[in-house]
Amino acid sequence: MASTLKQIAEVANVSRGTVDRVIHGRYGVDPKTRARVLAVMQELDYKPNAMAQALRGMQNAFRIGAIVPSEANPFYIDVNSGIDEASKMAATYGMEVVKLTMEHVTVEEQLGCIDRLEGMNVCGIMLVPINDQRIRERINRLPESIPVITFNSDISGTKRMCFVGNDHIMAGRTAGQLMSMVAREPGKMALLISQMDFLAHIERVRGFCQVFDEERRSDIEMIGPYMTYESEEKAYDIVRDLIHREKELVGIYMAGGGQQAAARALAQSGQAGRIHMICHDTLPDTIRYVKERVVDFTIGQEAFVQGYMPIEIFRDYHMFGKKPKLNRLFTGIDIRSRENISLKGYEVFTGMYSMNRG
């Protein structure tokens, strides 16, 4: 008689929910527990019908490509952790994930990565696209057998399957509302982004400015955007010079990379508190500067999930022919202040996507 989830749970000494998460490759199970459940499943010769059918139909392992910017931007450390964890899950289903790192975020390097992955006969590509017409055209030239998932930042006018990441306009509006609450004195507001080629950062600034326009904050003059090009050194220099030059500066909005160095420049100026700062992501130094009241708020975006979820989507697509119901899958907008900056929450993916997509 075929074994059941209840029997597997009893032998492995876990809950049926844990068995279900292991069967479907969802995150949130301790690796040792996952290994024990898989061993019991093999011992009891348990094969879920849908999965068994899918596995029988796969003659060879299939390969997924991931293009990720360098960890010189520490945001991508957690993204890579998500990719690596999902890759372990994928390997149990015959999926191989090939990860290419872009040391320099340029159109030429990204095009080269796409070319390289297509030459490796991948069955899907996940990437943080540069918002450039050449990238747009290259994605659209890929064969139908290579679907594309964009994550963290999107690109319009392509045939990509879906986007995984923040609603960046809403994230920018959230930052704008918070800044409008704390920056009550008239003056100048500096806007910093990584570069004009990232749609995510442009959308954040757009949402941020919308709030000040809607609230008729004519007492605030927006200056910038200044571009950091993902360089901590450049971000530090920009903020240091702005504080020295702009005597009416009352706020700094870091919509892109370089937030840790920017906060360091503000801390060293002695102007923290008078000049307010809001940024994105829960990076180690950012957490420290929030605790020290240099940064008023930082906004997380579930970096780990952004790396993990595309691989899960590719698995469902290739094994079960299941496409995501939405073409934009938004991760959480996680407001962090001094009171909750140390809490664990969105850093750990608990399977919300798998449970909610039906």
Side-chain angles (χ1 to χ4, degrees):
M1 184 174 68
S3 55
T4 65
L5 265 65
K6 181 179 179 182
Q7 291 172 321
I8 294 169
E10 289 174 350
V11 175
N13 194 28
V14 298
S15 69
R16 279 184 287 183
T18 297
V19 175
D20 182 74
R21 288 197 294 275
V22 171
I23 289 172
H24 292 91
R26 295 169 183 153
Y27 186 72
V29 181
D30 179 80
K32 291 182 180 178
T33 302
R34 185 186 299 275
R36 185 167 73 250
V37 172
L38 290 172
V40 171
M41 288 169 58
Q42 184 175 9
E43 178 184 342
L44 298 180
D45 195 30
Y46 178 82
K47 290 176 181 169
N49 291 337
M51 186 171 295
Q53 182 179 1
L55 290 173
R56 283 196 298 269
M58 293 167 53
Q59 299 300 318
N60 299 297
F62 56 93
R63 181 180 292 132
I64 300 299
I67 303 173
V68 187
S70 165
E71 289 184 359
N73 180 345
F75 167 76
Y76 290 104
I77 294 174
D78 283 347
V79 170
N80 277 317
S81 295
I83 292 173
D84 293 343
E85 186 65 32
S87 297
K88 296 175 187 176
M89 172 275 295
T92 65
Y93 302 110
M95 289 175 60
E96 177 188 1
V97 179
V98 178
K99 184 167 60 178
L100 302 183
T101 300
M102 295 176 57
E103 295 302 329
H104 304 93
V105 184
T106 64
V107 172
E108 291 73 19
E109 185 167 359
Q110 190 160 89
L111 289 172
C113 288
I114 296 173
D115 290 344
R116 183 177 169 190
L117 290 174
E118 184 176 11
M120 297 172 69
N121 297 317
V122 297
C123 296
I125 295 175
M126 56 181 285
L127 80 163
V128 183
I130 298 173
N131 191 34
D132 185 275
Q133 183 61 23
R134 289 166 290 177
I135 299 297
R136 188 173 288 106
E137 292 172 353
R138 185 66 183 89
I139 290 174
N140 288 334
R141 287 201 308 271
L142 287 169
E144 295 300 321
S145 59
I146 307 180
V148 170
I149 296 175
T150 59
F151 69 99
N152 185 247
S153 188
D154 204 2
I155 185 170
S156 61
T158 70
K159 60 180 183 179
R160 59 109 172 105
M161 179 187 293
C162 67
F163 163 71
V164 176
N166 254 185
D167 179 336
H168 292 293
I169 291 178
M170 188 60 65
R173 290 184 61 89
T174 301
Q177 183 176 13
L178 293 169
M179 183 66 86
S180 185
M181 290 168 57
V182 297
R184 301 310 304 169
E185 297 297 322
K188 296 182 179 181
M189 186 75 60
L191 309 171
L192 279 76
I193 63 175
S194 290
Q195 59 191 62
M196 297 298 289
D197 290 333
F198 276 129
L199 183 61
H201 300 168
I202 300 300
E203 288 183 337
R204 286 176 185 170
V205 167
R206 186 185 308 158
F208 184 87
C209 293
Q210 282 175 358
V211 171
F212 282 83
D213 289 341
E214 292 167 7
E215 294 187 356
R216 302 184 186 279
R217 290 293 304 271
S218 58
D219 58 323
I220 297 294
E221 177 188 351
M222 300 294 175
I223 59 175
Y226 303 93
M227 289 176 279
T228 67
Y229 296 102
E230 302 287 336
S231 166
E232 294 282 315
E233 181 179 359
K234 191 166 185 63
Y236 177 87
D237 290 342
I238 290 171
V239 171
R240 181 196 59 190
D241 293 346
L242 279 169
I243 294 171
H244 177 74
R245 184 177 71 248
E246 302 290 349
K247 302 305 181 184
E248 297 179 358
L249 189 66
V250 296
I252 299 169
Y253 175 44
M254 294 291 304
Q259 57 269 58
Q260 297 182 117
R264 185 171 76 252
L266 178 56
Q268 292 174 355
S269 74
Q271 298 294 309
R274 186 189 72 80
I275 299 175
H276 299 278
M277 178 178 284
I278 293 178
C279 60
H280 291 260
D281 305 321
T282 51
L283 308 180
D285 282 351
T286 305
I287 292 172
R288 177 167 64 86
Y289 285 121
V290 170
K291 289 179 178 179
E292 295 175 359
R293 301 176 186 267
V294 175
V295 174
D296 294 76
F297 300 96
T298 190
I299 301 174
Q301 56 175 315
E302 298 186 302
F304 184 97
V305 178
Q306 292 184 27
Y308 190 99
M309 191 185 293
I311 296 172
E312 189 180 46
I313 294 170
F314 279 133
R315 180 205 64 185
D316 284 359
Y317 176 69
H318 286 294
M319 291 184 63
F320 307 114
K322 185 176 182 180
K323 286 187 176 182
K325 294 179 180 179
L326 303 173
N327 69 4
R328 294 191 299 169
L329 302 171
F330 291 137
T331 54
I333 296 174
D334 181 16
I335 302 172
R336 295 298 182 100
S337 67
R338 191 169 65 92
E339 301 302 323
N340 69 342
I341 191 65
S342 298
L343 295 178
K344 294 295 180 183
Y346 287 120
E347 300 93 331
V348 181
F349 180 38
T350 58
M352 68 179 74
Y353 172 65
S354 296
M355 291 187 290
N356 291 340
R357 60 189 160 155

